[in-house]
Amino acid sequence: MLVSSLGIVATVSADYGDALSKCILFFEGQRSGYLPRGQRMTWRKNSGLKDGSDIGMDLTGGYYDAGDNVKFTFPMAFTVTNLAWSVIEFGQFMGSEKQNALQAILFGTDFLLKATDVSERIVAQVGDGFSDHNCWERPEDMDTLRTSYVVNASVPGSDLAAEIAAALASASMAFQSADAKYSKTLLERAIEVFDFADKYRKSYNGAMKRGDSCPFYCSLNGYMDELVWGAAWLYRATKSQKYWDFVQKNINDILYLGPSYGWDAKQGGVYVLFSQFVMNNAGSNPFVTQADNLVCSLLPNSPTQYLKYTPGGLLTQTGQNLQLSAASSLLILIYAQYLKSFNRQVHCGNVVADASKLIQIAKGQADYILGKNPLGMSYMVGYGNKFPQRIHHRASSLPSIKDHPQQIKCKEGTPWYQSKKPNPNLLTGALPGGPINSDNFSDDRGNAPESEPTTYLNAFFVGVLAYFKGNPN
Ligand SMILES: *[C@@H]1O[C@H](CO)[C@@H](O)[C@H](O)[C@H]1NC(C)=O
Ligand SMILES: *[C@@H]1O[C@H](CO)[C@@H](O)[C@H](O)[C@H]1NC(C)=O
């Protein structure tokens, strides 16, 4: 912020290009396995090199989901889907960052190919969530259980498999011009994995159950949203009638929870994605209707608005506000492009929103996240002058093995966890859970809901930033 001699605060407009570069760079900090040549986040080193050995497979690679060191395939696939969707819709605005975005997708799809390498068997998770969360350890030091969990024909997982199908199908489109051969491999695998998802219909929760509950990334709203989402992406990638029919036949069987969008609920994404094929047609219901509802749920002054904003202007729900903000912004930006191409507007009772209104709302969210907020801080690590210093992230908060080569065992990391000092390693681009409903932010490592970054949150924001990099005004 600049304060002029008259005392008027003038905000410098955000540098969306810089933020986009950082938002993509973040994924290098989440990498597991062998770090490739060209790794730019150099304080991270190889880790998890024996992953998969317990079941005789090579399961090295992929991403740690958040501030811990477990590889959860379900949210990893969703992360890839959103990165790919961002490249498909807004890759033309990314400039030289498109290459980095493709690399971020590739690191995920290479793992998804390994996880689905055996027919009718899919790796759902590598690493034990309880063992991992009991320690505060660098990925490079891990001595926690690296158990591999699988689903198969007798213990299936339609939600997991169908989300992987969505990821591979969307990634095949993102790679179409850059690497046609890889694109074809991804699409073929997407088709196979979708068939498995459809053939044995069951939620993967059963396979992940420990004791009485399914503790991490359970698919609470059923598997039908993922099945339809996977089919919708396969339709977009193949244009095959079979997938069109699947979507039409099953869309109304999704457990209805409103047009929400996140790692569990995919229906908001289905409505927006499919609306481009049916807008202004007889078949527009429920896709366009529900995508409109999504808009009306967050449009200020809409009679059906039910999502709220903080006094400073951030979309809110209970906790993890940035996830809602970034996910909604990505969807309405994509929907705005479809509305524009059909010259259509959204009617929320007597309040009308056109594409430019949706873009304005999304820009408000992006600007808030990048610093235009009551605390005057950016919520992206390494962006701007003031940003979160104590994110809940093991690798970032412990010294790099470059500076501290001795192993730091499970509980030996506790003093770093409890320290009030800033994290020693900059996880550039990381977006934490974000501020609470009063716009306050504790910047406290112990407060995971506010301070933990996640791969899917960054994936949503990649598309948002790409759009504004190309369309800053
Ligand atoms: C599926 O996995 C379970 C648990 O690992 C195993 O007991 C079962 O035999 C497997 N089924 C098939 C068809 O491979
Ligand atoms: C905001 O959060 C900080 C850090 O947790 C705390 O010290 C401060 O009292 C909070 N302010 C308000 C108005 O709640």
Side-chain angles (χ1 to χ4, degrees):
M1 267 188 205
L2 300 176
V3 180
S4 76
S5 54
L6 295 170
I8 297 165
V9 176
T11 43
V12 181
S13 75
D15 185 342
Y16 303 109
D18 181 38
L20 174 66
S21 309
K22 288 172 174 162
C23 199
I24 297 171
L25 181 57
F26 158 78
F27 289 92
E28 295 194 6
Q30 299 302 115
R31 283 173 168 173
S32 180
Y34 292 96
L35 302 183
R37 269 202 298 174
Q39 167 86 11
R40 295 169 296 165
M41 206 174 275
T42 51
W43 54 266
R44 281 291 328 282
K45 300 291 171 201
N46 298 341
S47 62
L49 300 182
K50 292 187 181 141
D51 283 359
S53 57
D54 60 328
I55 56 168
M57 288 178 85
D58 168 14
L59 295 173
T60 55
Y63 289 116
Y64 303 122
D65 67 306
D68 58 1
N69 303 326
V70 183
K71 299 193 292 202
F72 297 100
T73 316
F74 188 50
M76 198 196 302
F78 182 62
T79 297
V80 168
T81 309
N82 282 286
L83 284 172
W85 202 3
S86 296
V87 166
I88 294 165
E89 301 287 346
F90 301 132
Q92 76 267 31
F93 304 129
M94 289 181 176
S96 58
E97 283 304 323
K98 186 170 169 188
Q99 198 47 42
N100 291 324
L102 287 176
Q103 288 301 316
I105 294 170
L106 181 75
F107 209 81
T109 48
D110 276 351
F111 179 81
L112 295 179
L113 290 175
K114 288 181 179 180
T116 56
D117 194 40
V118 180
S119 172
E120 301 206 337
R121 185 167 183 254
I122 295 179
V123 177
Q125 184 176 321
V126 183
D128 178 308
F130 293 107
S131 170
D132 183 279
H133 291 182
N134 183 44
C135 300
W136 196 258
E137 267 187 322
R138 302 178 291 199
E140 295 86 354
D141 281 342
M142 278 188 290
D143 52 10
T144 47
L145 294 172
R146 297 301 290 169
T147 316
S148 304
Y149 299 87
V150 299
V151 300
N152 59 27
S154 48
V155 189
S158 302
D159 26 30
L160 171 70
E163 183 59 57
I164 296 174
L168 296 174
S170 56
S172 83
M173 293 186 66
F175 271 102
Q176 216 144 43
S177 57
D179 187 342
K181 187 158 169 271
Y182 191 65
S183 167
K184 187 162 172 281
T185 303
L186 295 175
L187 186 55
E188 286 167 358
R189 186 64 61 83
I191 291 167
E192 257 181 58
V193 171
F194 182 82
D195 287 346
F196 171 67
D198 185 27
K199 187 168 163 193
Y200 307 97
R201 289 198 183 183
K202 201 164 182 180
S203 166
Y204 95 119
N205 293 347
M208 305 318 293
K209 206 164 167 172
R210 298 290 168 269
D212 289 336
S213 68
C214 161
F216 307 101
Y217 292 110
C218 302
S219 179
L220 297 178
N221 72 337
Y223 54 75
M224 192 48 89
D225 57 325
E226 280 87 15
L227 277 176
V228 175
W229 176 234
W233 272 110
L234 278 163
Y235 176 69
R236 188 167 180 183
T238 64
K239 290 287 147 66
S240 154
Q241 183 69 31
K242 171 182 158 183
Y243 298 114
W244 172 277
D245 293 344
F246 189 99
V247 171
Q248 296 289 353
K249 181 162 179 281
N250 294 291
I251 184 68
N252 290 312
D253 292 336
I254 294 177
L255 282 183
Y256 182 66
L257 292 173
S260 19
Y261 189 56
W263 61 261
D264 186 12
K266 312 297 154 61
Q267 59 269 31
V270 172
Y271 301 136
V272 170
L273 175 64
F274 222 67
S275 69
Q276 69 188 296
F277 306 123
V278 294
M279 207 174 270
N280 294 347
N281 291 353
S284 65
N285 198 40
F287 307 99
V288 176
T289 324
Q290 289 292 357
D292 283 1
N293 285 347
L294 170 86
V295 171
C296 298
S297 75
L298 55 75
L299 181 69
N301 303 320
S302 147
T304 50
Q305 180 191 352
Y306 59 82
L307 293 172
K308 296 190 167 60
Y309 293 83
T310 64
L314 182 68
L315 270 169
T316 61
Q317 58 186 5
T318 44
Q320 285 105 36
N321 285 331
L322 295 193
Q323 279 187 45
L324 175 71
S325 169
S328 306
S329 298
L330 178 62
L331 287 189
I332 64 175
L333 277 177
I334 292 171
Y335 197 48
Q337 310 314 305
Y338 302 163
L339 290 172
K340 258 194 253 176
S341 62
F342 286 88
N343 197 19
R344 197 180 157 274
Q345 299 172 326
V346 178
H347 292 259
C348 309
N350 56 353
V351 181
V352 180
D354 60 6
S356 66
K357 179 68 191 173
L358 302 194
I359 293 165
Q360 186 204 330
I361 293 172
K363 189 157 189 262
Q365 296 303 298
D367 288 345
Y368 181 110
I369 294 172
L370 295 177
K372 211 167 163 187
N373 57 56
L375 295 187
M377 72 182 286
S378 127
Y379 286 101
M380 177 180 280
V381 172
Y383 177 88
N385 303 324
K386 190 180 167 196
F387 52 80
Q389 300 292 324
R390 294 168 201 83
I391 57 170
H392 179 99
H393 191 276
R394 286 163 178 73
S396 169
S397 71
L398 289 156
S400 162
I401 62 167
K402 252 177 35 177
D403 309 320
H404 189 293
Q406 306 91 311
Q407 189 185 24
I408 302 171
K409 290 189 175 153
C410 176
K411 294 295 182 194
E412 290 170 8
T414 307
W416 279 282
Y417 173 72
Q418 290 172 339
S419 155
K420 297 290 168 218
K421 289 189 191 152
N423 289 3
N425 308 305
L426 209 59
L427 185 61
T428 303
L431 299 162
I436 56 173
N437 296 356
S438 61
D439 294 302
N440 203 4
F441 179 69
S442 63
D443 199 6
D444 172 5
R445 202 175 293 119
N447 184 343
E450 288 178 47
S451 68
E452 186 168 17
T454 56
T455 47
Y456 29 97
L457 167 53
N458 268 68
F460 301 137
F461 212 43
V462 164
V464 174
L465 291 170
Y467 180 80
F468 290 116
K469 175 179 177 169
N471 306 274
N473 299 308

